Amino acid sequence: MKLSFVPLSTGDEKMDIWYLVFFLLPICSSSEPQDGHVMNMDTFLSLVKDLESTLTNSSAQDLAQLLMSQPSSSSKVLSEEQASLTHTLLTHKVVALKDDIWLEQGVILAPDGSTVAVRPLLEALLWGWKVDCKSENLQEDIRRPENFVKNPNSLTMLLAMSYSNFDNPLESPLYIPNGCWDSILSPKTFKLQGAPSMNDLTLAYINGGFDGTLLREMLINETQKMSVLLQSYYWGQPTMSAFRRQGFQDLLKEGQLADEIRNGIKCYREHAEPHTLSPINDDQLTSIASEVAKNFEHQLLDCPALVPRCMWEAKPYNGSPTLLKPPLPHVYIHHTYTPSKPCVSFQECAADMRSMQRFHQVDRGWDDIGYSYVAGSDGYVYEGRGWHWVGAHTKGHNTVGYGISFIGDFTSSIPDARILQLVRDRLLRCAVRSGYILPNYTIQGHRQVVNTSCPGDALFQEISSWEHFTKVRDVYMKYYSCIQWFSNESKN
């Protein structure tokens, strides 16, 4: 079994120590996927409703506590079938199959198209995301060192463990694998797009931690049934869950995430075997925690959630794609015009993406959907050709810029403010930080460089107020693009 992970040390001896610390985490070898349950939010909601029909006075926290205590104290309440499903839903682990295929279990497909791990959701709903080193739940769990990072404060703890060797903050981005389901309509198997990290930190796990935290906030002022809570959060147009990153970020006070990560590292060091740890003083601990928090915020909280091609069921690229040479100097804004109606759910937006790809590939004879990325009004940005492949969005300019489109006809109206912010303040800033776009990039509407009305009068008026927008016309843009291209070439 081969693992791919961010190194936790620069020395072989320290690397061996940390490998031993994490070796017993639940990364298991198997040749069989999990059982035949349909792993979506409807399945979880049905279980919750069944239990609520029996336990009529149970609150969301009561039911979460019951599910988390399974099978010990819940064996007299749950039927054999319910207990089996609960075990499947709450057993989060990564399973290794042949040929470096990795399945993530204990995760479900949410109505917004995201994947959520159930266990961290219930943990955060009950205990929150902050570290409580005196918690009875924590004390019981850390009696076994291999379980420490799976304690009820696991979201904070896993962040600390994944970034740091407790000597120097890691400069590398945190490795957070995502994946795709075998079926969107009847999901049963979730395959990661890469090998897991050593402590099973995945995007689904983080989503679960975020969701549980936000659901807990919704219960502060009133008691609700869990079924009502889940329906209000995961169902809607758009759903609340689509904005989980922003919601979690809004809860944070300045420096709070760093403080909690610091507490997590300190808590771990109080209970871990001394000989496995290198010496560290309080200043170093504070510095590490601050770096971890900053990297996580920049990499995840400040960036939009991207829906990968496999999740909207994209067809393969026709032929061989041409690679871009990031960072690129330009961004071109489009609207789809057709589809003309903004999509407000994952199902609608995924169908629109498939329709556009079919039109571009079949009717226009292009290799793939033309846009680099497409923003739906459901709160997500959908991957088209991505950051690395030359698109077919802005004739004559596809090699020097990315094409970002909004689904809908925005001739007389503009997308919702949250959707505009998703592109302007998150996608583009994140792309600069990740090295895909130059810091001094320019934004233009499609109409400024091609004879077209795109991106619509209303949307064009909107983007003309954005930072980086330029009125420079085609001839100047071509000159500037050449200068940038030769500059990039001289550096390579």
Side-chain angles (χ1 to χ4, degrees):
M1 182 171 68
K2 182 180 179 181
L3 291 179
S4 175
F5 54 91
V6 177
L8 296 174
S9 173
T10 56
D12 291 339
E13 181 178 353
K14 291 181 180 179
M15 196 63 229
D16 291 341
I17 290 174
W18 282 108
Y19 183 79
L20 290 174
V21 170
F22 290 105
F23 181 74
L24 295 178
L25 290 175
I27 299 179
C28 308
S29 292
S30 171
S31 59
E32 297 293 334
Q34 61 194 79
D35 58 38
H37 293 294
V38 175
M39 301 299 288
N40 59 21
M41 190 63 68
D42 295 276
T43 297
F44 182 47
L45 181 62
S46 295
L47 172 64
V48 167
K49 286 184 174 180
D50 285 346
L51 294 175
E52 288 176 344
S53 66
T54 303
L55 307 169
T56 55
N57 295 322
S58 62
S59 66
Q61 294 98 328
D62 294 335
L63 204 57
Q65 186 70 63
L66 174 69
L67 294 171
M68 289 295 295
S69 65
Q70 198 270 345
S72 57
S73 63
S74 60
S75 57
K76 296 181 181 179
V77 180
L78 274 63
S79 68
E80 183 176 343
E81 183 179 353
Q82 290 171 335
S84 173
L85 176 57
T86 300
H87 177 75
T88 299
L89 291 172
L90 267 66
T91 303
H92 181 263
K93 62 181 179 181
V94 175
V95 176
L97 303 185
K98 297 178 181 178
D99 302 321
D100 287 334
I101 295 176
W102 302 85
L103 304 184
E104 185 174 6
Q105 298 185 350
V107 299
I108 54 179
L109 177 63
D112 67 353
S114 63
T115 300
V116 179
V118 179
R119 187 174 188 88
L121 184 155
L122 294 180
E123 288 175 344
L125 175 62
L126 286 170
W127 300 295
W129 65 276
K130 299 178 182 179
V131 173
D132 181 3
C133 207
K134 297 179 181 180
S135 166
E136 291 182 5
N137 296 292
L138 176 61
Q139 296 302 321
E140 290 176 3
D141 218 16
I142 59 180
R143 290 172 187 170
R144 299 179 63 192
E146 70 273 19
N147 286 342
F148 183 82
V149 295
K150 295 292 183 183
N151 69 71
N153 307 114
S154 53
L155 178 59
T156 307
M157 206 67 67
L158 285 179
L159 292 179
M161 296 299 177
S162 297
Y163 263 116
S164 176
N165 65 356
F166 307 130
D167 285 329
N168 297 294
L170 294 178
E171 297 180 359
S172 303
L174 177 61
Y175 177 59
I176 308 175
N178 194 6
C180 283
W181 290 93
D182 57 336
S183 168
I184 300 302
L185 296 178
S186 182
K188 294 183 178 180
T189 304
F190 187 70
K191 183 168 67 174
L192 291 176
Q193 292 179 310
S197 60
M198 293 188 69
N199 55 3
D200 287 3
L201 181 62
T202 64
L203 186 58
Y205 199 96
I206 292 175
N207 285 342
F210 285 170
D211 290 354
T213 300
L214 296 172
L215 291 171
R216 180 182 172 87
E217 288 292 314
M218 294 169 65
L219 293 173
I220 289 179
N221 297 321
E222 60 179 308
T223 301
Q224 293 187 45
K225 293 286 188 181
M226 184 179 287
S227 60
V228 175
L229 194 67
L230 295 175
Q231 287 173 305
S232 63
Y233 183 76
Y234 288 108
W235 277 267
Q237 295 186 338
T239 65
M240 295 173 64
S241 56
F243 299 93
R244 58 171 62 89
R245 298 187 185 194
Q246 296 94 313
F248 184 80
Q249 194 171 34
D250 289 343
L251 292 177
L252 298 177
K253 298 178 182 177
E254 186 174 356
Q256 187 179 28
L257 183 58
D259 289 342
E260 293 302 328
I261 291 174
R262 184 182 189 279
N263 291 339
I265 298 173
K266 186 176 180 180
C267 180
Y268 175 79
R269 294 177 70 84
E270 289 176 358
H271 295 91
E273 294 293 331
H275 68 273
T276 66
L277 302 174
S278 56
I280 184 172
N281 58 41
D282 286 346
D283 288 341
Q284 290 173 316
L285 178 59
T286 299
S287 176
I288 289 170
S290 297
E291 187 71 15
V292 171
K294 182 183 72 174
N295 288 346
F296 182 71
E297 290 186 40
H298 285 176
Q299 183 178 342
L300 202 76
L301 295 183
D302 291 342
C303 295
L306 302 177
V307 178
R309 292 169 60 90
C310 57
M311 282 301 297
W312 58 267
E313 299 179 318
K315 296 291 185 183
Y317 190 99
N318 290 331
S320 299
T322 302
L323 289 174
L324 289 166
K325 295 182 179 181
L328 302 186
H330 309 303
V331 173
Y332 304 106
I333 302 298
H334 302 249
H335 72 163
T336 62
Y337 189 71
T338 302
S340 60
K341 181 182 177 181
C343 57
V344 292
S345 70
F346 166 69
Q347 291 75 16
E348 290 180 358
C349 293
D352 285 346
M353 291 295 292
R354 293 191 297 270
S355 175
M356 283 186 285
Q357 185 187 42
R358 184 167 55 251
F359 174 68
H360 289 175
Q361 285 186 318
V362 177
D363 294 5
R364 291 192 170 179
W366 297 348
D367 293 336
D368 197 1
I369 188 171
Y371 307 117
S372 305
Y373 286 95
V374 181
S377 290
D378 61 337
Y380 285 101
V381 175
Y382 289 74
E383 180 186 19
R385 298 207 191 184
W387 299 124
H388 302 289
W389 294 358
V390 174
H393 46 80
T394 312
K395 188 175 182 179
H397 300 76
N398 293 314
T399 61
V400 295
Y402 295 104
I404 312 296
S405 188
F406 292 84
I407 294 179
D409 176 3
F410 295 106
T411 301
S412 57
S413 65
I414 61 174
D416 183 85
R418 289 188 298 179
I419 308 305
L420 293 169
Q421 183 188 45
L422 200 67
V423 173
R424 182 191 63 220
D425 299 338
R426 292 181 178 271
L427 179 65
L428 297 183
R429 290 181 184 179
C430 189
V432 171
R433 190 177 293 125
S434 301
Y436 298 123
I437 300 176
L438 289 171
N440 61 339
Y441 71 94
T442 63
I443 292 176
Q444 284 194 296
H446 188 194
R447 63 174 62 182
Q448 291 177 268
V449 291
V450 176
N451 184 21
T452 176
S453 62
C454 179
D457 293 345
L459 182 55
F460 181 73
Q461 183 66 31
E462 164 64 27
I463 67 169
S464 66
S465 66
W466 290 10
E467 184 182 6
H468 295 280
F469 177 81
T470 179
K471 296 181 179 179
V472 179
R473 294 291 177 178
D474 188 30
V475 61
Y476 299 105
M477 292 303 298
K478 286 184 177 179
Y479 172 77
Y480 178 68
S481 297
C482 290
I483 296 297
Q484 288 291 341
W485 186 86
F486 281 115
S487 176
N488 288 338
E489 286 295 300
S490 65
K491 296 177 183 177
N492 296 332

